Amino acid sequence: MVNRKIVGAHYGLMDWLVQRITGVVMVVFTLIVALGLIQGAGASYESWRGFMSAGLMRFVSFLFIVSLCWHAWVGVRDIWMDYIQPAGIKLTLHVLTLLALIGYAGWAVQIIWRL
Amino acid sequence: MSAKVTVRKFDAVIVGAGGAGLRAAIQLSEAGLKTAVITKVFPTRSHTVAAQGGVAASLGNSEEDHWHWHMYDTVKGSDWLGDQDAIEFMCRKANECVIELEHYGMPFDRTDNGRIYQRPFGGHMSNFGEKPVRRSCAAADRTGHAMLHAMYQRNIKANTQFFVEWMALDLIRDAEGEVLGVTAMEMETGEIYAFHSKATIFATGGAGRIYYSSTNAFINTGDGVGMAARAGIPLEDMEFWQFHPTGVAGAGVLITEGVRGEGGILRNANKERFMERYAPNAKDLASRDVVSRAMVTEINEGRGCGPNKDFVYLDITHLDPATIMKRLPGIHEIGIQFAGVDCLKEMLPVVPTCHYQMGGIPTNYHGQVVVPGKRTQNEIVPGFFAAGECACASVHGANRLGTNSLLDLLVFGKSAGETAVDELKKSPKSHKELPADAFDRTLARLDRLNTQKGGSNVHESRLDMQRSMQKHAGVFRFDNLLKEGVQKILDIQKDVQQTEIKDKSKVFNTARIEALELDNLIEVAVATMVSAEARKESRGAHVRDDAPDTPERPNGRDDANWLKHSLWYKEGNRLDYKSVNLRPLSVDTIALKTRAY
Amino acid sequence: MTTARTLQFKIYRYDPDTDQKPTMQDISVEIDATDRKLLDALVKLKAKDDAIAFRRSCREGVCGSDALNINGRNGLACLTDIASFPEGKPIVLRPLPGLPVIRDLIVDMTQFFKQYHSIKPYLINNDPPPERERLQSPEEREELNGLYECILCACCSTSCPSFWWNPDKFVGPAGLLAAYRFIADTRDQATNERLDNLEDPYRLFRCHTIMNCVDVCPKGLNPTKAIGKIKDMMVQRSI
């Protein structure tokens, strides 16, 4: 292959937007949890379990996990893009990151939904 | 340094990428000719970028205007030394050229109905000198910046080939006098090249750096003028240098005449609006030479301001701050940066400062270089063109009007480009053989610089030259000072011929560049001093103490003997003269009369 | 006003013709009361040692030649007040960071200009040009303020970590400011193409709003704001 710097991937806006939106979701989730803690949800295991297993809370937690992974995907990919030059290694790292994040997400959801 | 010279061939080579060079380049590139633009700085660093106030065109966007009135003002401004054919050509072409710029994307300020904003400027009047008219098309006080960038951008679109940070060194002429290109140095490597071309266009700007106090950039060293002089081309009207009334006292940085166009007033130590005494009609908006002389007179008569009484004030504190920030934001910045003054609240200290070279390489209005020959006084030098400040068409004569310089470089940059395109397209020819001695002068200069021992210091010699010019050929000129000045400058020329540089590196050797620039500066300085000494009248920017204002000779002008262009030849340091063209292209001659504002 | 004093400098020196590697040179120069700006001192330094290489031209902050790294911060020598330097400490001058050094304080700006050229910095309007000027209201023209004044000195781009890291792929603040200058111009018809040209994870989206560009711009321009507006327009057209 010729050694040429190529740009013009025609994406990037979506990721940029996603990072902002997922960021907002995570902030909101953090505030909800903080509010719960202030109201004493963390007093005992039972109260904490009750707080987290409520239907709405499960839904919000799910959103948070998806947001976190998506947010992390864009961020970590950016790091690979900046620091790893060989395309093969870069692609491999992208794939590994994706797989890891999907795995983490599944694991986290499983934990929360098992509650 | 090796004596190896690589030859590159082009249809046309343009030297200089300021306004005139870029405008010519657009013409040639868009015509599809193989064009090289050689420039010693990146194009947008050329000094056109510093022009502030505007470009003249009788668009009539705010009030009635006409190119004929503009022509009248320009002829009058030139103190009748301008060639009226070229002046008519320029004033008629103004609208077209300014509109083109707008189409290139230049961000002009706008009137409420969306047209190009125009402001009044010194010497521009309506109805043949009646009252000031809004003729200066402006982009805030950054017109030159906006214009230069717009033209550079247009050249990117046209795929012009630039040789950035290449310095042209000498003109190549053969035995018949035909111009065949230039030699140049790639600054990054120090390698020498020859640009072999069918058309060579000089757009190298002025040499304001011959003076100690100058509004000009460091790069304004008259390279094209120097190269032409060394190649045997005479220099026209070099005694005429414009001193801009409002340079920041001490710093020399320009403050646009647009400040006075927007309502600024000059005041002396008594806070008096002294221009009312010198130009009752136009007042602060009289022509630049008139205002500069008035200021120096005030200072000489003890009404200067400051502890040393050596400057006057430019006052805009009475203007609406919002208007200042909208129309003159750059001036506000310059005031703070270079005078330590907030012009919204305090007055700016200003002093006349060398600004513009009216003379230069003689051309006709097609941009072709012309020299006296066997048959006529204006024979074309084949293959050689010049435009902008380095050229003398002559539209500015003895004094240039503000905003006519940007117009000059547009109109004659384009015209030189068009003429070159016409010549190359109508009669295609192959490259003429380079003469055997084509590179000799250049190599000899470089060799000398590399081997000079015990020579003079570049910095010191340049300072000597600048101080001498300032003292002996300033705003007011005196016979004895001029005579002394000629002797002095010829002595300094001897020093310049033996400058020595310590730095011998090949890579971006700025010491070598400055020494080579000084070679050009000194040609201009000598031409100026010799031409000025010889001209025994007062006219425009050239005012002699021994040619005073008398009833027989108003303003000291002597039309019977001196209504003629000076031509200085380097060879033999001699002067010749040629007549002024008083015949316009289509209208009647603007007849000689006393110049008053 | 400055007063007569001796200025101490530490200057980055490198001449590939003679030097193996760069060194920092200690040198001092006497200045007098008329020397107001750093450039005045540099010119005096050059009179002392003619081998010090730096670019300069207009000396009034409009040509953009003399951008340097001054005491760790990018700026124009001709707009930097000598009085602003603390006494007793040497003034450290280095070439602009992130670009290859040609010699001493002179950097190779090819990459910077390449990025500027890549955004098609010229007005695109395919309508036949009218006989007179294209009309633009004062309000529409006002949109260009803060954009067209850029002097291409490269202070911003060479203070931007994203540009240091990806100078070949990230357009950089100066180029993006210029891109928005044309997007914002009502006379330009290529807004969509321009947005397409920039929609790339590197070209535009390497900007992480670090805002060094805003901090150092000698003309007081705000490239970050312009970049934000480009992103806004992309969002607008995609939703």
Side-chain angles (χ1 to χ4, degrees), chain B residues 61 110 152 165 214 337, chain C residues 37 55 59 117 132 134:
Chain B
N61 283 354
R110 299 290 170 153
Y152 175 62
E165 292 180 336
S214 169
Q337 281 282 354
Chain C
K37 302 290 180 186
R55 294 188 177 103
R59 61 85 173 82
H117 292 160
R132 291 292 304 263
R134 294 196 168 98

Side-chain angles (χ1 to χ4, degrees), chain B residues 136-375:
Chain B
S136 165
C137 311
D141 53 1
R142 307 187 179 99
T143 312
H145 172 281
M147 179 185 284
L148 192 68
H149 280 251
M151 286 204 278
Y152 175 62
Q153 290 160 352
R154 182 70 178 195
N155 272 290
I156 298 171
K157 193 177 183 190
N159 259 327
T160 302
Q161 189 174 2
F162 287 100
F163 289 80
V164 175
E165 292 180 336
W166 288 56
M167 184 183 175
L169 297 176
D170 277 294
L171 199 59
I172 302 174
R173 275 182 100 183
D174 67 7
E176 284 99 68
E178 184 163 349
V179 170
L180 303 174
V182 291
T183 52
M185 179 172 69
E186 183 183 27
M187 285 153 65
E188 188 178 331
T189 60
E191 301 291 330
I192 305 301
Y193 288 76
F195 287 74
H196 188 188
S197 66
K198 301 172 196 170
T200 303
I201 301 178
F202 270 18
T204 53
R209 282 276 157 179
I210 62 169
Y211 284 90
Y212 183 70
S213 169
S214 169
T215 66
N216 282 199
F218 283 103
I219 58 167
N220 289 22
T221 53
D223 298 342
V225 183
M227 285 188 268
R230 281 194 296 276
I233 307 282
L235 304 181
E236 182 175 345
D237 292 341
M238 291 305 293
E239 62 271 45
F240 298 101
W241 283 85
Q242 178 161 84
F243 286 79
H244 196 289
T246 54
V248 174
V253 172
L254 173 71
I255 293 192
T256 175
E257 195 167 315
V259 170
R260 283 171 283 138
E262 297 288 348
I265 291 169
L266 291 164
R267 298 189 188 280
N268 61 19
N270 310 325
K271 302 276 177 321
E272 181 207 1
R273 184 180 192 181
F274 59 85
M275 278 313 299
E276 288 179 329
R277 282 188 276 117
Y278 297 89
N281 187 24
K283 300 191 177 82
D284 298 273
L285 284 176
S287 192
R288 284 181 180 168
D289 57 334
V290 175
V291 180
S292 284
R293 268 197 300 280
M295 289 166 70
V296 174
T297 306
E298 289 298 301
I299 292 167
N300 287 347
E301 291 177 0
R303 291 187 294 277
C305 311
N308 302 323
K309 294 176 169 294
D310 54 359
F311 59 81
V312 300
Y313 280 121
L314 175 59
D315 181 9
I316 48 171
T317 53
H318 54 287
L319 300 185
D320 172 26
T323 309
I324 296 175
M325 294 314 286
K326 182 172 179 194
R327 300 289 182 210
L328 305 164
I331 294 307
H332 183 247
E333 203 180 311
I334 286 174
I336 291 168
Q337 281 282 354
F338 294 97
V341 162
D342 179 354
C343 65
L344 301 178
K345 301 191 193 93
E346 296 166 80
M347 298 188 283
L348 294 157
V350 291
V351 70
T353 308
C354 174
H355 183 56
Y356 189 86
Q357 162 194 316
M358 263 81 72
I361 303 167
T363 69
N364 58 23
Y365 67 85
H366 301 293
Q368 295 160 307
V369 176
V370 291
V371 296
K374 292 193 185 78
R375 280 157 290 137

Side-chain angles (χ1 to χ4, degrees), chain B residues 389-418:
Chain B
E389 190 171 344
C390 75
C392 181
S394 146
V395 283
H396 309 306
N399 170 66
R400 172 176 74 79
L401 295 187
T403 70
N404 266 355
S405 59
L406 289 185
L407 181 59
D408 170 353
L409 59 83
L410 284 180
V411 171
F412 295 106
K414 180 178 181 183
S415 166
E418 271 178 340

